Amino acid sequence: MSVGTSRLAATLTDASPASLAGGVAALALLSLAAVTQPGLFVDNAIGGLVYGMQLVMVALGLALILGLMGVVNFAHGALFMLGAYFSYQVVGAWGLPFWVALVVVPLAVGVVGVVMEMTVLRPLYGQQPVIGLLATFGLTLMAEEATRSVWGAAPLSFSVPPALATSTDLGVTQVGTFRLFAVAVSALAVLAVYLLITRSEFGLTVRAGVQDGEMTEFLGANLPIRFTAMFFLGAAIAGLGGVLRGAEFGMGLSMAQQFVILAFVVVVVGGVGSLFGSVIAGVLIAEAQFLTPTVLSSLAMVTGVEAIAVPGVRGIVPYVVMIVVLLVRPRGLFGEEGFLE
């Protein structure tokens, strides 16, 4: 049994009767929406999956850096934003193929992350978390102003390759091919990172360094280089997420703070330090955001009570999910003592 499966089984085993009853009620409401509005349900379910995987890519890097360095990296959203703007520069301004941006931009954002780690964050290791939070918040503001001075404040966009600009027929609805492509790329990236952290010697030495740095270095591991490499990895993942997000919806200055706040919610819901929990929580929150309006409209349709379909409910769903999860499991869905699994 894998680590993730074991944690999922343990979480279900520990669930209270009230939690299980809530889960059954949620499944019943989802089934109602799927039956009454199948096309809208599938469309929103896929939209939630696309959004959820982008959210996971930001939250995963955030969880990695928080778990390894104990730094609350508020600037992680700025790295995500830079991924989107760098891809605009490569594709929209320089006219290079999108596939070049898909490879080069995450590497460039990773280098920016390394510079950030070596110059600003490394001296803050071991300090109070609020100091790191304030420093990275300052970095976010600097990145936003630098972006504004280079690319301006107006929203920007660029075209995706013609092969990805088509639609795919799923029977009950049409879905943009790029959305399916984004899900596949995100899933592969998340799986690669998860395997690197949990199954490789490199990941094992890093996790050992988090638990006992002195002993790990005594055994020959160069922890500063490994931690910097992990920061590069977390920044590159955020950059890749920015490329995919920018290609689908364009880019704007607000995306940095908008996504990093939701990423913090994902990390808290999944359990601080749990990479598996961040993945599950990211998809869960995004699906809840996209499917809740559909469920409420189906319920209003069946009962005839139009007031049930509350407009604008999508914006508060992540925070409602976080409150409910923390009331039931204060450490989050898969949180345990210590940072990394």
Side-chain angles (χ1 to χ4, degrees):
M1 183 179 289
S2 67
V3 174
T5 306
S6 301
R7 294 194 181 285
L8 182 59
T11 300
L12 292 175
T13 303
D14 295 340
S16 65
S19 302
L20 294 176
V24 172
L27 286 176
L29 290 172
L30 289 173
S31 301
L32 174 67
V35 171
T36 55
Q37 304 180 86
L40 184 60
F41 180 85
V42 172
D43 192 47
N44 277 328
I46 293 176
L49 185 60
V50 173
Y51 186 67
M53 293 309 297
Q54 293 169 0
L55 201 54
V56 165
M57 298 184 78
V58 182
L60 201 58
L62 194 66
L64 270 175
I65 294 168
L66 177 62
L68 292 175
M69 294 86 170
V71 174
V72 182
N73 185 19
F74 200 83
H76 208 69
L79 297 172
F80 174 74
M81 178 190 69
L82 289 178
Y85 276 93
F86 283 1
S87 61
Y88 168 78
Q89 184 66 35
V90 171
V91 180
W94 292 342
L96 296 174
F98 170 73
W99 310 109
V100 174
L102 198 63
V103 175
V104 171
V105 169
L107 298 177
V109 175
V111 171
V112 173
V114 168
V115 172
M116 182 188 301
E117 190 268 339
M118 296 179 67
T119 58
V120 178
L121 296 181
R122 188 173 292 180
L124 302 180
Y125 295 161
Q127 303 287 333
Q128 293 293 326
V130 68
I131 298 176
L133 178 62
L134 292 175
T136 54
F137 181 68
L139 288 173
T140 299
L141 297 179
M142 291 171 63
E144 287 182 354
E145 290 306 314
T147 302
R148 188 196 308 275
S149 67
V150 174
W151 289 285
L156 299 172
S157 63
F158 60 85
S159 301
V160 298
L164 300 177
T166 59
S167 297
T168 301
D169 187 3
L170 297 183
V172 294
T173 187
Q174 297 277 335
V175 178
T177 304
F178 184 82
R179 306 180 84 183
L180 301 177
F181 170 78
V183 170
V185 171
S186 303
L188 287 175
V190 170
L191 179 62
V193 171
Y194 189 78
L195 292 177
L196 176 68
I197 299 298
T198 59
R199 302 296 175 84
S200 71
E201 182 181 351
F202 174 78
L204 290 175
T205 55
V206 170
R207 293 165 63 195
V210 173
Q211 298 297 325
D212 191 336
E214 186 176 352
M215 179 59 73
T216 306
E217 287 192 303
F218 179 76
L219 294 175
N222 190 328
L223 283 183
I225 289 181
R226 282 170 167 74
F227 284 1
T228 301
M230 278 297 174
F231 207 100
F232 172 85
L233 183 62
I237 297 169
L240 179 59
V243 174
L244 297 174
R245 181 72 180 179
E248 185 176 6
F249 294 105
M251 56 287 300
L253 295 174
S254 63
M255 62 191 300
Q257 297 191 32
Q258 174 191 352
F259 264 80
V260 79
I261 291 173
L262 285 177
F264 274 118
V265 173
V266 168
V267 171
V268 170
V269 170
V272 177
S274 172
L275 304 183
F276 178 74
S278 295
V279 175
I280 297 297
V283 176
L284 173 67
I285 288 175
E287 289 291 358
Q289 269 191 288
F290 277 73
L291 289 178
T292 296
T294 308
V295 167
L296 293 181
S297 68
S298 297
L299 202 57
M301 186 185 306
V302 172
T303 61
V305 182
E306 295 184 359
I308 294 177
V310 181
V313 69
R314 178 180 294 180
I316 65 171
V317 167
Y319 310 104
V320 172
V321 172
M322 181 176 68
I323 291 171
V324 171
V325 169
L326 291 182
L327 286 175
V328 177
R329 291 180 65 87
R331 285 181 176 172
L333 291 175
F334 302 96
E336 290 185 351
E337 189 175 358
F339 277 124
L340 279 183
E341 294 172 302

